[in-house]
Structures are given as structure tokens and as C-alpha cells.
Amino acid sequence: MKLRAALMGAVAVMGLAPAAFAERGTDGEVKLTFPQAVSIMNPYLSGGTKDILAAAMVVEPLAVVDPDGVLVPRLAVEIPTMENGGVSADMMSITWKLQPGLLWSDGTPVTADDAVFTWQYCTHPEGGCSQATKYEGVASVEAVDASTIKVNFAAPKPNPYTAFVSGLSPILQKKQFEACLGAAAPTCTDANNMPIGTGPFMVTGFTVNDTVSMTANPNYRDPAKPAFATAVIKGGGDAEGSARAVMETGEFDYAWNTQIPPDSQAAMAAAGKGQFVVAFGTLVERLEMNTTDPSPSLPEGERSTAKHPHPILSDIKVRTALSKAIDRTILVEVGYGEGGRPTCNVIPGPEAWASDNQGCIAQDMEGAKALLDEAGWTDSDGDGIRDKDGKKLSILYQSTVNPIRQDFQALIKDWWTELGVEVELKAIDPGVFFGGDPGSPDTFQKFYADVEMYANNSDNPDPETYLGQYQCKNAPTPETQWQGENINRFCDPAYDALHAELTQTTDLAKRQEIAKKLNDMVTKDSMIVVPLVHRGTLSAHSNTLGGVQINAWDMETWNVADWFRVK
């Protein structure tokens, strides 16, 4: 089949090249700085990239995706294929073999039972797993023997590389988490903050929204790795401060998400102490439109739920008008320069998967005003703010504390104000915004605002799993501890049906056609998601830190075991 040929041609079964060091822990400490502080070390309870990046240094999947978009084994011996017998001919199952002798950091053996438990953990009906789409279509996971994991699908699965693949879907230790199923998941503070893992590092100290301290895992499978004896992730501040700490002062070795303007990048690079690194995958800065009413006048537990449709943004004409008023080219010039491109898509690449949707690129203020007129929003009292049926066209627009995002907020507020919209801006500490705390009113999942802005991306060139986030069932609710990937609560049975078709389609060209339609359904057809900029993944590292391979498809820390100190 075409899809099989394409997928298997992208599979790598060899390990990575040896690192440039020969003994574990000889290079001292590696220091990372994140402008968004780490809130939790369990990727199944966070939708925040900063948490998942940190966790990827500790807990691991069976396979990862390398910077070229190629699958490489991690805890598995090799990537299962039809040719090697790992993927069944009927595409109803995939069988993985664990590397021999794998140990958790506490010295106990890793077994197939841990994988079975992890599947049960994320799919528990009373839980709120942030990565539920990774297990979409999985009927069961079984331990064939201690080192053999068989994933059975409910129907033929043309792309079987979802469960236990990438930093979003690592294996948890059953012994540590078995009391944390379902509604109990967020209450297991010790396990969530200090997970026992198989990765190159293990957590020794954790201060929520501040610092993660780690030491080299004594039971890591490669006795020569990691080169660093300890690692620390310091969070908070802002992107500019993080970048400066690497590029100018040299206090840190690696700065993640250095989302700063091009002129600032050039000035810092001139210091000669580090370098910015960028990779383009599918990262898109976007606006999410809340389809539900976030009004604080509603009872707690009903705000931002399907019980109450949004009184303004439920109208597609309003959503479309807000999009038309934005000049994406100016946003790129102000925020990213060569590190960004205007986009109308949530799947901007690879090219074969990207829709030809370009209709949003040119700003159309007059068209936006006409749409609001058609929708009945007019300035009846002459105060400059449109109104309808006695209600002002007023929007709360939130994002995280970040200089580029505040620039974007200011520009977009100006455009929307010109349109006749009253706009209130809110900037939230990113550690809180992306933290996933079910008790916080300020998480992006809870979405107690009308519009919010952030970025995320597909972790695989094949976007099946990523596009699955917009299914009705994935909306965060109080019943799921406010976890879930369908942030705007979009619900269209036609979308769900088409995504189900994607999961069963084997022809590669047909899969790409469906993916483009799904992209269009949440963008130009509904304006539930308003893409702004296709961003490169931009970070910085010291010239004394070797082995870094920035990765736009998986976690940037995907190969932290190979990092070393340049002598």
C-alpha cells in the first residue's frame, strides 16, 4: 500500500551515533532556562510544552521522531514494520519488543506491564489525560511476555505509530502510578512531580513553577551517558531574559523558546557566546475562539462548557470578521522576521499535507466591517463600540507574558478597536497558563476568556493524531479535571466522522486530502481556530554545549543524553 511504503521508508532501525564523551557524569552540570516555568513532570497531565520537554529528560516512549521526521527506537529494539513482522498484515496490531535489561531509575525492571498500565492510565474514563488522542483507536494493550508489548486496534490502523511514540506518550512505571488512576491522577503530587523514569536523568528536587533539579540516572542503559552529572531547569522570567542568560552572560547552557524579536536576536548573537537554532515543523501561533460562554456570572463548573454557547463568538460572521481585520504580514515582521511565515493553516507542513488555504493573509478591514454589519453589530449610540440587542461587542483576549505576544496583543487590539470591538487584554504567567492545574482559573484549558493566543504543533509529519484533538469528546470539562486538547470546545459530528475516516484510510494521497479538509474545517470553514504565524522552533545554546540537535517534530530535549561539554 502507498501509505505503508511511505511510512516504512521513513523508519530508522539503527541507534544514534555515539556521543563525543566516554564516561557518565564527567562534564559537571548542564543548566537550562525556560521562560515558562515547569509546573508538573507528568506529560499526561499537562498540555504545556515546557512540562513535556522537562519530562522527556526523565520518562521515555518506545520510539521518538528525529529532526528529519524519521522514527527511531528509544526503549524498543527496533521500529515494528510489516516487513519485520511487527505490524500485522491486516493492520489490526503492532508489536513492540523492549530492549533487554531495561531498568527504571530505582533499579527495578521495565516490563510490558508498565506499558499496559500506561494505556489504562491515559484512557481511564474518570481521568483527564492530556494526550488521549495518542491512544485513539486502541482497543487493548497486552503484555505478550515481559518484554513484548502488543497494541491491538479496534479497526485497521494505517498509521500505527501513535501510542507510546514521541515525548507526548511515554511509559510510566506501574508501581509508582497504580494508585493514581482516574480522578485520583492529579492528586498524586509526588509521582507527578518526581516520576521514576528510564531517561538519562532523574528528578532530585522540584519546586512548582520554579526549578527542576536532576542527577544522572545511575541505571541508564548506556553506561557512558549522560555526560553531565547533574541538570537544572530554571523557569520563569521572560524569553528575552532566558536568551540573554545564554547568549550574553553565559549563566546558562540552553534557553528554550527564545521568542524574541529579530533585532534582539542579532544584538545578542554579536556577543559571540552562543547561537540561536531554528527548525520549522508545524508550530503555529494562533487565536483560539471560545465557542462557550466564559462569563463569571455563570455557576462554577458551567463556565466555558457546552451548557452555555458563547453569546458573541458563536456567530461565524463575527469570528471571520476578527480574522479579516488582522495583518499577518506585519505580525511576522514585528515578531519573527526570517523565523516566521504568515499562515492560514493549523497544519502548515509538510507541503504535501498543507492546504492551499491562503485567503486570510491579506488584511481586509472593510470586509470585516461589512460582516459585522450583516451580523447586526452596529454602533447604535456612537461611542465607537458596536452593540446588538443591548450588548456591547466586548472581548477578553488573553495570552502568556512574552514580549512578542504582548506586541501581537497590542497590534490586534488596535485592529479590532478600529473594527468597533471593545478589547480587554490579559497576560498570564506562562507557568500557570500552561500548567494544567484544575484549580486555577487561568489555564489555557479552562479558557475563562473569549479569545486566547498560544502556539502548538503536530509531533509527527502525519497529522492524524494532532487533528484528532478537535473531536467533540476531547473538550476540557470539569469531569475531565479540565484536561483535554479541544481547547475551543469545537464540536462538529461531520469533523469527527471525517477524522474517523482518516484513521482508516491507507492510500497516502487520500490521507493528505482528508487532512487538508480537516484543517479547513477548523480554520477557513469555521474560524474556530485563527492561525497567525507558522513559527520556527527557536532556541539558543552556548557555544560550549555540544550535541544539540533542535527538533521541530518531537521534544527539543529528545537527545539530551547526547549533550556534552565542548572542551
Side-chain angles (χ1 to χ4, degrees), residues 355-399:
S355 168
D356 61 3
N357 175 21
Q358 296 291 316
C360 77
I361 301 298
Q363 184 186 42
D364 182 8
M365 187 64 73
E366 293 309 310
K369 291 178 180 177
L371 274 176
L372 291 182
D373 289 341
E374 290 176 24
W377 292 95
T378 61
D379 183 10
S380 64
D381 54 11
D383 66 353
I385 306 299
R386 292 175 182 261
D387 55 83
K388 179 180 179 181
D389 300 329
K391 183 178 180 62
K392 291 291 186 181
L393 183 48
S394 181
I395 286 175
L396 173 59
Y397 167 22
Q398 69 182 20
S399 189

Side-chain angles (χ1 to χ4, degrees), residues 272-541:
K273 291 188 176 182
Q275 56 186 289
F276 288 100
V277 285
V278 64
F280 278 94
T282 59
L283 185 65
V284 172
E285 190 80 16
R286 84 280 301 278
L287 301 178
E288 297 277 345
M289 300 286 174
N290 199 341
T291 64
T292 60
D293 190 350
S295 173
S297 65
L298 294 172
E300 192 62 31
E302 293 189 16
R303 294 176 67 185
S304 289
T305 69
K307 293 179 181 179
H308 302 280
H310 199 285
I312 297 172
L313 296 177
S314 293
D315 187 341
I316 187 174
K317 290 182 179 179
V318 175
R319 301 193 300 267
T320 304
L322 294 175
S323 176
K324 283 180 174 291
I326 297 170
D327 190 328
R328 289 160 174 80
T329 301
I330 289 179
L331 294 181
V332 170
E333 291 173 357
V334 168
Y336 297 98
E338 295 301 313
R341 307 161 182 163
T343 188
C344 303
N345 295 321
V346 293
I347 300 295
E351 184 177 354
W353 295 87
S355 168
D356 61 3
N357 175 21
Q358 296 291 316
C360 77
I361 301 298
Q363 184 186 42
D364 182 8
M365 187 64 73
E366 293 309 310
K369 291 178 180 177
L371 274 176
L372 291 182
D373 289 341
E374 290 176 24
W377 292 95
T378 61
D379 183 10
S380 64
D381 54 11
D383 66 353
I385 306 299
R386 292 175 182 261
D387 55 83
K388 179 180 179 181
D389 300 329
K391 183 178 180 62
K392 291 291 186 181
L393 183 48
S394 181
I395 286 175
L396 173 59
Y397 167 22
Q398 69 182 20
S399 189
T400 64
V401 175
N402 174 282
I404 292 179
R405 286 191 171 137
Q406 268 68 77
D407 285 345
F408 278 26
Q409 282 186 304
L411 285 166
I412 292 171
K413 178 178 179 177
D414 285 347
W415 290 322
W416 287 353
T417 300
E418 181 183 345
L419 195 58
V421 181
E422 182 179 54
V423 183
E424 177 185 352
L425 300 180
K426 183 176 182 180
I428 301 170
D429 181 284
V432 175
F433 188 75
F434 293 116
D437 179 359
S440 171
D442 290 326
T443 65
F444 79 114
Q445 298 103 323
K446 192 164 278 188
F447 205 169
Y448 281 0
D450 304 298
V451 177
E452 63 185 14
M453 179 174 65
Y454 59 90
N456 67 15
N457 60 283
S458 172
D459 66 341
N460 195 300
D462 183 318
E464 175 191 317
T465 300
Y466 183 72
L467 288 168
Q469 70 183 302
Y470 296 109
Q471 296 173 92
C472 299
K473 65 183 181 181
N474 290 330
T477 65
E479 292 74 27
T480 65
Q481 321 298 321
W482 293 106
Q483 295 294 334
E485 301 146 294
N486 186 355
I487 302 303
N488 46 42
R489 287 67 159 150
F490 171 75
C491 185
D492 182 353
Y495 184 96
D496 288 9
L498 189 58
H499 185 266
E501 182 181 342
L502 176 63
T503 67
Q504 301 303 305
T505 300
T506 58
D507 181 81
L508 181 60
K510 181 64 175 177
R511 287 179 66 78
Q512 291 167 346
E513 178 186 341
I514 293 173
K516 292 173 186 178
K517 289 180 180 178
L518 291 169
N519 171 90
D520 291 351
M521 289 176 78
V522 295
T523 55
K524 69 177 182 178
D525 295 346
S526 68
M527 289 299 176
I528 293 298
V529 184
V530 177
L532 302 173
V533 179
H534 179 198
R535 286 173 43 191
T537 298
L538 182 70
S539 293
H541 70 83

Side-chain angles (χ1 to χ4, degrees), residues 16 19 21 27 30-32 34 52-60 64 74 198-202 214 216 220-221 224-233 253-254 545-551 555-565:
L16 296 172
F21 49 83
D27 283 350
V30 62
K31 299 177 68 177
L32 298 85
F34 288 9
I52 301 166
L53 281 173
M57 299 171 68
V58 177
V59 289
E60 300 177 300
V64 296
R74 186 52 52 95
T198 56
F201 292 96
M202 53 188 289
M214 307 183 197
Y220 189 60
R221 56 191 171 276
K225 301 178 183 180
F228 293 101
T230 58
V232 63
I233 301 173
D253 299 300
Y254 193 91
L545 182 62
V548 174
Q549 295 183 47
I550 192 165
N551 191 340
M555 302 300 107
E556 285 185 37
T557 51
W558 76 286
N559 76 326
V560 70
D562 298 320
W563 292 5
F564 61 93
R565 183 69 64 200

